[in-house]
Amino acid sequence: MSTSPDAKSIREPHSFDPHVRLVIDTIPGFVWCAGPDGRIEFLNQRGLDYTGFSLDQIKGWNWKDTNILHPDDMQSLLESWGAIVASGDEGEIQARMRRFDGQYRWFLFRVAPLRDDSGRLVAWWGIDVEIDERKNAEDLLEGENKLLEMIATGAPLSLVLDSMCRLIEATNSGTHCSVLLVDSSRNALKHGAAPTLPARLVTALNGAPLNPRAGPCALATYRKESVIVSDVSSDERWDSGEWQNVVIESNLRSCWTSPIFSSDKEVLGTFAIYSSEPCHPTPRYQKIIDQFTHVAAVAIETSRAEEKIRQDERELREIVEAIPQFITVLAPNGNTLYVNRPVLEFTGLSLDELRAGALRTRVIHQDDRGVVGDEIRRALSAGKPFESEYRLLGKDGKYRWFFNRFNPLLNEDGQIIRWYVTGVEIDDRKQAEQRVRNEIVALREDIDRVSMFEEIVGSSDALNAVLAQVARVAPMDSTVLILGETGTGKELVARAIHKRSNRSARPFIRVNCAAIPSSLIASELFGHEKGAFTGALARRLGRFESADGGTIFLDEIGELPIETQVALLRVLQEREFERVGSSQPISVDVRVVAATNRDLKLAVEASSFRADLFYRFNVFPLRVPSLRERVDDIPLLVEYLIERYAKKAGKRIRNINARTMELFKTYTWPGNVRELQNVIERAVILCDGETFSVDETWLQHEASRESRVKVPLRHLGRLDPVQEMEMIEAALEESRGRVAGPLGAAAKLRIPRQTLESRITSLGINKHRFKSV
């Protein structure tokens, strides 16, 4: 159709010869003509009959002006039609057109341009051919392939059956589909899928008994054959059945159902198509039923087979996972093949990580790997069961001890093909053993060290105020800093805090920081590994590990070297440390109580004590009063100590000399309770009668010596050098030349040890000459 002698007659088919017009009107398709701009000018009679419009009604329409195209296809058709018009070439378009009764069907639009002798476009001629059945067949085939893909990839059965029903409903308007499955009792049907059936009908079908009167689906299952109900209202098989009433009330009139068979001819369920019109299934519908009952059978059998496999695997896995032990399967070379859930939960690692070697390289403690490796190598050659104890790293960062039993699995030739390993946690037993060892060490240290009191003695207001603070802070886990002069009983307060805390059943470990050389303090606190330094012949646990779960008391904390202060700060902040010579962090749960007779604020100013560590310690400062601040307690303390030392010496003392008691009350006690203890012990040893007294010169001599150190040197370097030298030498004389420690010159002057050492060097004082004083 490239040229025409009479373009007007071609554009106006009503002017055609009647015979030509008859051919155009009866041709098996919709013939239409449009102007160069694409507006419709003619539609043959078949097209008018299909759409229900007259020629006058559609003349001058553009496609977007009509309501005969499916809304979902409108945009793509307009774009394709516009492209054809713009190009002036032939083209094809697929879209759904609405019939006069409201139903949509698929059509193929073939369009060709009409030009005059000069080549000018004068019209567009088109013919629309129905392709609904072909299109539906293509959609069904594509949908079936997708369903099979869903089945192959393990999609849930309910999703597969639901998608199958929706596919058929989408390609066959006015239909509703359902799938019913035979239940496990094989006495009834249960719901499988019915995406668009009325809810009341779905409820009625679910649980329907397998008898001939329960409806077509039940009958098809019962007889193992297809059942066709062309008109529900007139079918006499259901005249008294509940199913018939529910279907009619749901505005459905026909039902075609077929049983779904397994590969061994067992009925798995039924597939049904419902229609709102009385009708009998066409060959096309019968083909659809046969086609998709087969798809449903594949889906159901696949689902059942997969479920059976999953069930068997679940039962076996549940047995293994329920065992409250670690179960590991190793290859003959020792590589990990499988672990049960308790192992995964404990380590926090995946099975893939463990298979990649993490069990050997990351989980087993590095100190145990060599032993375990040697044992496995020996066992591989011997092929005999063996047992081993080693530590495994948990996801919480802590190691726990396990007792493991290795058993080989041999093949018929006696070769090892698997190692089965069962592990039982014995950490509580190991920790208990270690705690006993630690507590024995701590007990021996306590026995070797003479304590001041078994209890805190006194009832003065100053002491009661301290005890009230102890009662408040003890139940907490807060760090406590106990301040006070030498001999005031700071350790007794620390022990009282521990005994009143939730940690009272666990160790109380005391560390005198001033009594340990600075080169060994880190090893003492944190332990060391074998070979960490000269003389480290074996691994040694530090005091922090010994105190795990309990309390550590750091006495004379102001004497710690700066480098140790850094490590101690990490313990307070992160609750972990590293042994000397190791990079493996060790977590501990320890409450820290510290004590000092120094002014830590001055030490911070003098850069001998870290400010950040001071603030960590200073969470709850607690000052213990000196004995001169609790004079009211002196009579009680004197009586208590006299009784104690008299009993120890095998003496009986009934009275206390009044002058002695008065002297005790007026004396300043620079050594506080410790000094009082020493004076009374000496007096009891020398006492010959039943009356206790002391030589007054003891206290006068001590007072005269103490008077030489009148005030602490808070600002060394600002005083007169002569006066400063006299005060330092007096303190060195009283401390027998000792600088550090609770009885050292630095403590008496209440200044940092490093500061005093610096001033001694600057002033040229020979501290060694006082050692013989």
Side-chain angles (χ1 to χ4, degrees), residues 182-479:
V182 177
D183 68 8
S184 57
S185 69
R186 301 202 61 79
N187 293 320
L189 295 171
K190 65 178 182 179
H191 175 72
T196 62
L197 277 187
R200 184 180 177 189
L201 180 55
V202 173
T203 302
L205 293 173
N206 189 30
L210 294 183
N211 64 66
R213 304 296 298 174
C217 294
L219 179 60
T221 306
Y222 183 81
R223 291 184 176 178
K224 298 184 179 181
E225 62 183 24
S226 298
V227 174
I228 305 299
V229 180
S230 299
D231 191 341
V232 174
S233 61
S234 62
D235 195 311
E236 296 180 355
R237 290 174 293 183
W238 328 110
D239 54 357
S240 60
E242 179 184 355
W243 173 85
Q244 183 180 34
N245 296 330
V246 175
V247 173
I248 293 173
E249 291 174 2
S250 300
N251 296 320
L252 298 175
R253 296 296 300 277
S254 60
C255 174
W256 320 316
T257 181
S258 181
I260 302 172
F261 291 104
S262 68
S263 56
D264 57 1
K265 302 305 179 183
E266 175 191 359
V267 179
L268 304 174
T270 64
F271 170 59
I273 298 179
Y274 294 82
S275 176
S276 57
E277 298 292 336
C279 56
H280 194 277
T282 63
R284 176 175 175 273
Y285 275 117
Q286 191 60 57
K287 182 179 178 181
I288 290 174
I289 293 174
D290 294 341
Q291 178 182 358
F292 285 96
T293 52
H294 177 69
V295 173
V298 173
I300 296 170
E301 285 199 290
T302 302
S303 176
R304 286 188 174 185
E306 291 176 350
E307 181 57 33
K308 181 64 170 61
I309 294 173
R310 286 193 294 268
Q311 180 63 27
D312 292 343
E313 291 178 346
R314 279 197 299 269
E315 290 177 0
L316 179 59
R317 186 176 293 109
E318 285 173 3
I319 293 173
V320 176
E321 306 294 353
I323 298 174
Q325 295 181 351
F326 285 8
I327 297 179
T328 305
V329 181
L330 304 178
N333 61 0
N335 290 338
T336 304
L337 299 177
Y338 166 81
V339 297
N340 65 345
R341 185 183 299 118
V343 178
L344 299 177
E345 292 176 348
F346 174 80
T347 62
L349 300 176
S350 67
L351 180 57
D352 289 339
E353 289 176 304
L354 295 174
R355 284 174 174 166
L359 185 64
R360 183 171 54 254
T361 60
R362 294 166 56 185
V363 179
I364 298 177
H365 196 287
Q366 60 181 358
D367 293 344
D368 303 333
R369 292 170 193 165
V371 176
V372 176
D374 292 341
E375 290 176 341
I376 291 179
R377 280 189 289 272
R378 288 195 298 268
L380 288 175
S381 59
K384 295 181 180 180
F386 70 97
E387 297 171 349
S388 180
E389 292 182 4
Y390 48 80
R391 288 159 290 181
L392 298 178
L393 179 64
K395 62 185 178 183
D396 58 358
K398 296 181 179 179
Y399 283 97
R400 291 179 175 81
W401 281 95
F402 284 83
F403 172 77
N404 302 276
R405 182 176 285 108
F406 290 72
N407 288 291
L409 176 66
L410 308 179
N411 62 13
E412 295 178 354
D413 299 328
Q415 296 175 328
I416 297 176
I417 58 175
R418 291 287 187 274
W419 280 99
Y420 291 103
V421 188
T422 56
V424 179
E425 184 178 340
I426 57 170
D427 196 67
D428 288 344
R429 189 195 81 190
K430 284 284 189 177
Q431 294 296 337
E433 293 172 357
Q434 186 62 50
R435 282 197 297 271
V436 169
R437 288 193 291 268
N438 294 342
E439 289 172 8
I440 288 174
V441 171
L443 181 60
R444 286 175 177 171
E445 291 179 352
D446 275 352
I447 292 173
D448 293 340
R449 183 174 54 83
V450 178
S451 61
M452 292 183 293
F453 305 101
E454 285 77 16
E455 298 175 355
I456 299 176
V457 178
S459 59
S460 64
D461 292 342
L463 182 60
N464 286 335
V466 172
L467 297 180
Q469 289 181 295
V470 169
R472 286 177 177 271
V473 76
M476 311 299 178
D477 255 356
S478 303
T479 301

Side-chain angles (χ1 to χ4, degrees), residues 382-689:
K384 295 181 180 180
F386 70 97
E387 297 171 349
S388 180
E389 292 182 4
Y390 48 80
R391 288 159 290 181
L392 298 178
L393 179 64
K395 62 185 178 183
D396 58 358
K398 296 181 179 179
Y399 283 97
R400 291 179 175 81
W401 281 95
F402 284 83
F403 172 77
N404 302 276
R405 182 176 285 108
F406 290 72
N407 288 291
L409 176 66
L410 308 179
N411 62 13
E412 295 178 354
D413 299 328
Q415 296 175 328
I416 297 176
I417 58 175
R418 291 287 187 274
W419 280 99
Y420 291 103
V421 188
T422 56
V424 179
E425 184 178 340
I426 57 170
D427 196 67
D428 288 344
R429 189 195 81 190
K430 284 284 189 177
Q431 294 296 337
E433 293 172 357
Q434 186 62 50
R435 282 197 297 271
V436 169
R437 288 193 291 268
N438 294 342
E439 289 172 8
I440 288 174
V441 171
L443 181 60
R444 286 175 177 171
E445 291 179 352
D446 275 352
I447 292 173
D448 293 340
R449 183 174 54 83
V450 178
S451 61
M452 292 183 293
F453 305 101
E454 285 77 16
E455 298 175 355
I456 299 176
V457 178
S459 59
S460 64
D461 292 342
L463 182 60
N464 286 335
V466 172
L467 297 180
Q469 289 181 295
V470 169
R472 286 177 177 271
V473 76
M476 311 299 178
D477 255 356
S478 303
T479 301
V480 179
L481 177 61
I482 304 174
L483 305 170
E485 297 177 7
T486 300
T488 53
K490 295 187 289 296
E491 181 180 345
L492 290 179
V493 174
R495 288 183 179 274
I497 292 173
H498 174 70
K499 289 179 180 179
R500 288 172 173 259
S501 72
N502 298 327
R503 301 171 179 264
S504 59
R506 305 305 294 272
F508 176 87
I509 304 298
R510 175 184 179 273
V511 182
N512 187 339
C513 301
I516 304 173
S518 59
S519 60
L520 298 178
I521 186 67
S523 172
E524 188 71 23
L525 291 176
F526 309 122
H528 62 254
E529 297 291 343
K530 180 180 178 180
F533 49 84
T534 303
L537 302 179
R539 170 190 287 173
R540 183 181 187 278
L541 298 184
R543 299 298 185 93
F544 269 93
E545 282 186 86
S546 298
D548 192 24
T551 304
I552 189 168
F553 173 54
L554 303 177
D555 199 7
E556 304 299 342
I557 194 67
E559 304 302 323
L560 280 177
I562 288 292
E563 58 271 16
T564 307
Q565 293 179 27
V566 176
L568 186 58
L569 180 63
R570 179 186 177 188
V571 177
L572 293 176
Q573 289 178 332
E574 303 176 16
R575 299 294 180 182
E576 68 177 26
F577 61 90
E578 295 172 0
R579 293 195 192 105
V580 177
S582 172
S583 60
Q584 179 67 42
I586 299 173
S587 299
V588 288
D589 175 22
V590 176
R591 182 181 191 174
V592 178
V593 178
T596 183
N597 61 1
R598 291 176 51 185
D599 188 334
L600 292 184
K601 291 184 178 179
L602 288 179
V604 170
E605 293 177 6
S607 299
S608 62
F609 200 85
R610 292 178 62 95
D612 46 7
L613 182 60
F614 169 69
Y615 295 128
R616 280 286 179 181
F617 276 128
N618 204 38
V619 174
F620 192 93
L622 197 158
R623 180 182 175 277
V624 181
S626 63
L627 188 56
R628 59 184 172 274
E629 295 177 82
R630 38 184 296 220
V631 177
D632 294 344
D633 290 335
I634 290 179
L636 291 174
L637 287 166
V638 171
E639 291 178 5
Y640 174 81
L641 291 170
I642 290 174
E643 181 181 355
R644 177 183 177 184
Y645 290 114
K647 184 177 180 179
K648 184 177 180 181
K651 295 184 178 182
R652 189 172 183 179
I653 299 177
R654 295 178 177 272
N655 305 307
I656 301 175
N657 183 281
R659 172 60 183 163
T660 294
M661 184 61 76
E662 183 64 27
L663 187 61
F664 280 165
K665 290 182 178 180
T666 57
Y667 182 56
T668 58
W669 298 108
N672 290 293
V673 180
R674 187 180 290 115
E675 184 181 5
L676 175 63
Q677 177 188 14
N678 295 336
V679 170
I680 291 177
E681 184 177 10
R682 189 194 320 171
V684 168
I685 292 173
L686 298 177
C687 182
D688 294 326

